[in-house]
């Protein structure tokens, strides 16, 4: 695996050379491909990219482990709402927990995609993306008493503990942030080694060395930093070693690498598919409910029809093997003339009821008779009305005469419709 350091967004790439334990700079991804593509059998062309810490957001939270789990990834994203210029929904979140303290780090997903695409165009595959402050050695004394500082013309980094570090934009402000700071350990810039190792060639391609102007600029930065440290009455220690890569960067908690696939769907297409799938599930559920309701209605209808059939034709049981329509149709045809005779009898009886002092209470229509209940002020009125019906040629009988508490009488009058129609036919023939 190649260890590549991107100190700033458009700075030259620094590549770690294991043989000499030094960083070598190349102009960009294409030159990296030309020089290191076959270095030590790097057939996979895997790269660990140390990204600029200036692109990494950091939040120290007092939330407990349980509370952070309840927040979830989306909840953690909103903890960066006040510090992120990128919409928080587009942040990749990583968490470091040590001794009941939690640090949250975030990087814009667009930056991650850009770095991965740049490596892919050069024929490289990124296997790890970690902040570059992890290249600095950990200070020996904690509690903010000692920090490690690195500075060149492209970046300025600071590391205060095993799990914390940052990019520095204004050094005096950092000194104010650590009131207990007593010592600053400075690493020499990696460009200083390019001049001494410019004679190293890899695969017949020379690696550019630092210019005299760059070295002069680095010396100027170092002098300014030393003077600033002296002004704050801090102990300055110059370390002999250089920033070194991590041994297992792919296992580090701050590895922001996300595996991308060519078949990954766009967010719009994913949303469209989810909407279509939801609509399909809703339609299936609706059809299922309608089918269930239809079956329930069909069963209830069949039960009600069977009950009605038994009430009409008590002597003829309903057969489950024969369709109901087949069993009812002959009976409906044989009784097709009955309603006409019934209506003719009612047409003759209704005017007589209206002309009398009686009131009709109920009517029951049977296949051969009409039976209705009349309310009369006395018993003689019921007898008189029955005689009137008989005088009109209707076969009427008065049955079940009862009295009530109001002194009225109710009587059931039954008229034989079939006989009446036969009598009327005989009279018509004579």
């Amino acid at each position: 695996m190649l260890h590549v350091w991107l100190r700033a967004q458009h700075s030259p790439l620094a590549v770690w050379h294991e043989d000499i334990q030094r960083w070598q700079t190349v102009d960009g991804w294409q030159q990296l491909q030309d020089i290191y593509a076959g270095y030590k059998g790097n057939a996979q062309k895997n790269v660990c990219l140390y990204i600029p810490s200036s692109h990494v957001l950091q939040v120290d939270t007092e939330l407990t482990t349980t509370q952070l789990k309840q927040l979830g990834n989306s909840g953690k994203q909103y903890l960066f709402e006040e510090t992120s210029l990128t919409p928080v929904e587009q942040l990749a979140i990583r968490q470091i927990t040590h001794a009941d303290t939690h640090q949250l780090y975030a990087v814009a997903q667009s930056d991650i995609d850009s770095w991965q695409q740049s490596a892919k165009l050069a024929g490289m595959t990124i296997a790890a993306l970690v902040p570059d402050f992890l290249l600095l050695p950990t200070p020996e004394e904690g509690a903010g008493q000692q920090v490690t500082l690195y500075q060149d013309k492209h970046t300025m980094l600071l590391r205060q503990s095993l799990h914390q570090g940052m990019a520095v934009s204004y050094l005096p402000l950092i000194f104010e942030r650590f009131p207990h700071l007593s010592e600053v350990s400075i690493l020499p810039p990696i460009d200083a080694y390019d001049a001494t190792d410019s004679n190293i060639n890899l695969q017949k391609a020379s690696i550019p060395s630092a210019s005299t102007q760059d070295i002069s600029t680095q010396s100027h930065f170092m002098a300014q930093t030393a003077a600033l440290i002296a002004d704050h009455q801090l102990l300055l220690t110059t370390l002999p070693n250089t920033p070194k890569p991590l041994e297992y960067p792919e296992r580090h908690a701050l590895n922001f690498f996300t595996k991308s696939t060519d078949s990954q769907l766009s967010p719009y297409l994913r949303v469209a598919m989810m909407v279509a799938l939801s609509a399909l599930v809703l339609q299936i559920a609706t059809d299922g409910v309608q089918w269930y309701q239809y079956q329930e209605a069909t069963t209830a209808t069949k039960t009600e029809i069977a009950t009605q059939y038994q009430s009409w034709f008590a002597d003829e049981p309903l057969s489950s093997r024969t369709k109901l329509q087949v069993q009812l149709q002959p009976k409906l045809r044989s009784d097709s003339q009955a309603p006409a005779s019934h209506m003719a009898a009612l047409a003759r009886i209704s005017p007589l009821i209206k002309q009398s002092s009686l009131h009709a209470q109920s009517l029951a229509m049977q296949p051969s008779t009409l039976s209705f209940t009349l309310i009369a002020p006395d018993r003689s009125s019921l007898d008189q009305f029955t005689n009137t019906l008989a005088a009109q040629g209707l076969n009427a009988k008065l049955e079940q005469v009862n009295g009530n508490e109001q002194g009225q009488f109710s009587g059931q009058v039954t008229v034989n419709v079939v006989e009446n129609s036969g009598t009327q036919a005989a009279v018509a023939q004579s």
Side-chain angles (χ1 to χ4, degrees), residues 271-300:
V271 172
M273 292 182 63
M274 288 299 296
V275 172
L277 181 61
S278 300
L280 179 61
V281 172
L282 180 61
Q283 184 63 42
I284 293 175
T286 303
D287 292 343
V289 172
Q290 291 179 347
W291 178 85
Y292 175 78
Q293 293 177 345
Y294 174 78
Q295 292 298 324
E296 290 290 321
T298 301
T299 303

Side-chain angles (χ1 to χ4, degrees), residues 357-378:
S357 59
L358 307 179
H359 300 282
Q361 187 179 37
S362 63
L363 172 65
M365 185 179 297
Q366 301 296 331
S368 59
T369 61
L370 285 177
S371 179
F372 46 90
T373 302
L374 299 177
I375 304 299
D378 48 44

